[in-house]
Amino acid sequence: MTTEPPKAPPSQEPQYPPAPVAYPHHLGPYPHAPPGHYPYLPFPPPDAASAENGQNGAPPGFMMFHPPPGMLYYPAAQTQPYSPPPNSQVPSALARPKRKQVKMACTNCAQACKRCDENRPCERCIKYNIADSCIDGQRKERKKGIKRGPYKRKNKMSGGEGGSPSFAEAPAESSVGEWAPSGAQPATTPATTAAAIQAVSQQFVPGSGPGGEPFYPLYYPPHAFLPPPPTDGTEAQSHPSGAPPPPPMTYFLPGPYPPFPYPGFMHGPPPPHLQQPPQPQPQPIPPPASVTAQPPPPVTVDPAGAAKPASANGSDVSTATETSAGAGAENGSKKRGRGAKNGAEPKAKKAKRGSGKGSKDDDAGAAGGEGGEAE
DNA sequence: GATTTCGGACGATAAACTGA
DNA sequence: CAGTTTATCGTCCGAAATCA
């Protein structure tokens, strides 16, 4: 895998988009596009018409309309698994590298739930002068013969050989909840905002468009859009310390067509079946913290089952696998009731794995008792 | 402030399934 | 049988508790 920073686009991509993407400065660097792809575009191509033909430096087939502020599009066909370039400056929530684990932690580290390394004695054991007891533990054998139900196949988007789902699949992990629809948590950091954006985009299943290549709309929370910092010494319109009132902004519906309620947005009338009654002006959206309040009634144009309500609040709809990712982090502060460890509690240590993710594997702890479910 | 505890997120991977 | 999906098990993050 040669995942390299998209910033130096392949030859076929001249200088579009121009310069550093204008991106809400307080959000940090703009999220990277998948390798070899164009960065997200918070603005229309230099020339819509020519963009359509791939002229003027704009990629062919790129968007031909002007997105409202706060909306980005990403060509569906180009999606690939996202992997942030090394040493990128992507916000941590986005760029967080996968945690690497040693194959086997020493018994000491394992017991302490601390990071170990391959060496023996490991660094930690040396540090604490317990090098002599730094030995590998023993892995337990995986259970066999456990029957499972039929698998649900993931819908292979666009059948593309890339095979993998949208790039957005990746980092949803932290805090989709930030500005996602219901009961979401208050916004926190720019980083999580970015993550949220990706998470949301993930919900729009490709191929849902009637014929044409769908674009993934990526919505930015209103507060994300502030003028870039002044570069020439002049005062920026409104991003100084005073936390300017975010420009009012509508949430749009996902779908194969660009959201039309935006003035000066569409080149033509929306297709009949998408026509909507005149939308009342969006209510002024409250400050960031409550951005979450007004979720887009995500469906309407929504084809098939494409969009699930962005149930950010943990319910992590989607696949079972994601389980933890979606669920846990949601409110950032996982409060834990530290059990009152009464003095010298023998290190029987947690009946391993009994707790957290569902007691499904309670058996593990139960060591003695063979897996409950296995019948 | 350093160290210990430990809940739970996350990574790795083997076993069960599936489709060709 | 190769590829995919899922369950299981291990690692270790990170916050609270405790110690010195």
Side-chain angles (χ1 to χ4, degrees):
Chain A
M1 305 318 147
T2 57
T3 56
E4 54 182 41
K7 65 175 184 185
S11 49
Q12 62 169 122
E13 313 165 72
Q15 65 257 37
Y16 188 82
V21 176
Y23 179 66
H25 57 284
H26 67 285
L27 278 189
Y30 208 78
H32 287 266
H37 293 145
Y38 286 96
Y40 307 87
L41 301 176
F43 41 76
D47 173 337
S50 41
E52 193 173 354
N53 302 317
Q55 304 165 354
N56 195 20
F62 218 83
M63 52 188 299
M64 304 167 292
F65 34 77
H66 295 228
M71 168 159 285
L72 317 176
Y73 283 88
Y74 200 83
Q78 294 183 8
T79 54
Q80 280 187 358
Y82 172 76
S83 62
N87 64 12
S88 72
Q89 300 181 48
V90 176
S92 61
L94 271 181
R96 172 160 56 174
K98 262 180 115 173
R99 187 172 85 192
K100 198 69 178 152
Q101 302 180 170
V102 296
K103 283 259 191 285
M104 173 68 76
C106 74
T107 53
N108 296 327
C109 293
Q111 192 157 53
C113 295
K114 293 299 178 192
R115 169 166 283 284
C116 192
D117 59 49
E118 306 288 355
N119 305 322
R120 293 291 176 271
C122 69
E123 206 167 307
R124 183 173 172 277
C125 286
I126 293 174
K127 178 178 174 185
Y128 294 113
N129 273 322
I130 48 177
D132 53 323
S133 61
C134 180
I135 55 175
D136 285 344
Q138 193 139 36
R139 250 182 201 265
K140 152 182 186 184
E141 199 166 332
R142 185 176 288 249
K143 288 191 292 196
K144 292 182 182 177
I146 299 184
K147 289 296 174 196
R148 306 178 174 183
Y151 291 166
K152 7 177 192 214
R153 305 303 265 186
K154 275 181 182 162
N155 53 351
K156 308 261 178 98
M157 53 132 52
S158 65
E161 75 300 331
S164 21
S166 131
F167 70 90
E169 170 182 40
E173 74 172 62
S174 75
S175 88
V176 177
E178 179 180 342
W179 66 287
S182 61
Q185 304 301 315
T188 53
T189 68
T192 56
T193 294
I197 291 167
Q198 286 206 343
V200 170
S201 75
Q202 178 180 8
Q203 299 167 18
F204 303 110
V205 179
S208 55
E213 172 189 67
F215 284 83
Y216 293 95
L218 300 181
Y219 303 96
Y220 264 13
H223 67 283
F225 280 79
L226 298 178
T231 51
D232 56 352
T234 59
E235 224 215 78
Q237 292 157 29
S238 60
H239 70 75
S241 41
M249 171 179 171
T250 321
Y251 288 96
F252 298 101
L253 305 173
Y257 296 93
F260 29 86
Y262 224 85
F265 180 73
M266 287 278 291
H267 284 175
H273 68 288
L274 291 181
Q275 303 249 4
Q276 284 190 339
Q279 294 220 335
Q281 262 315 299
Q283 327 173 352
I285 298 188
S290 52
V291 162
T292 64
Q294 300 288 8
V299 215
T300 293
V301 178
D302 177 40
K308 319 170 188 179
S311 77
N313 39 7
S315 42
D316 167 56
V317 267
S318 50
T319 54
T321 1
E322 316 283 342
T323 63
S324 41
E330 85 213 7
N331 53 8
S333 64
K334 43 177 180 183
K335 275 286 193 241
R336 274 180 224 144
R338 184 69 351 135
K341 70 161 183 188
N342 315 321
E345 177 181 283
K347 288 199 164 187
K349 177 148 183 178
K350 55 186 169 188
K352 212 54 172 172
R353 293 294 84 171
S355 48
K357 342 176 213 190
S359 40
K360 60 185 176 193
D361 39 333
D362 46 11
D363 53 272
E370 66 302 287
E373 60 199 344
E375 301 186 315

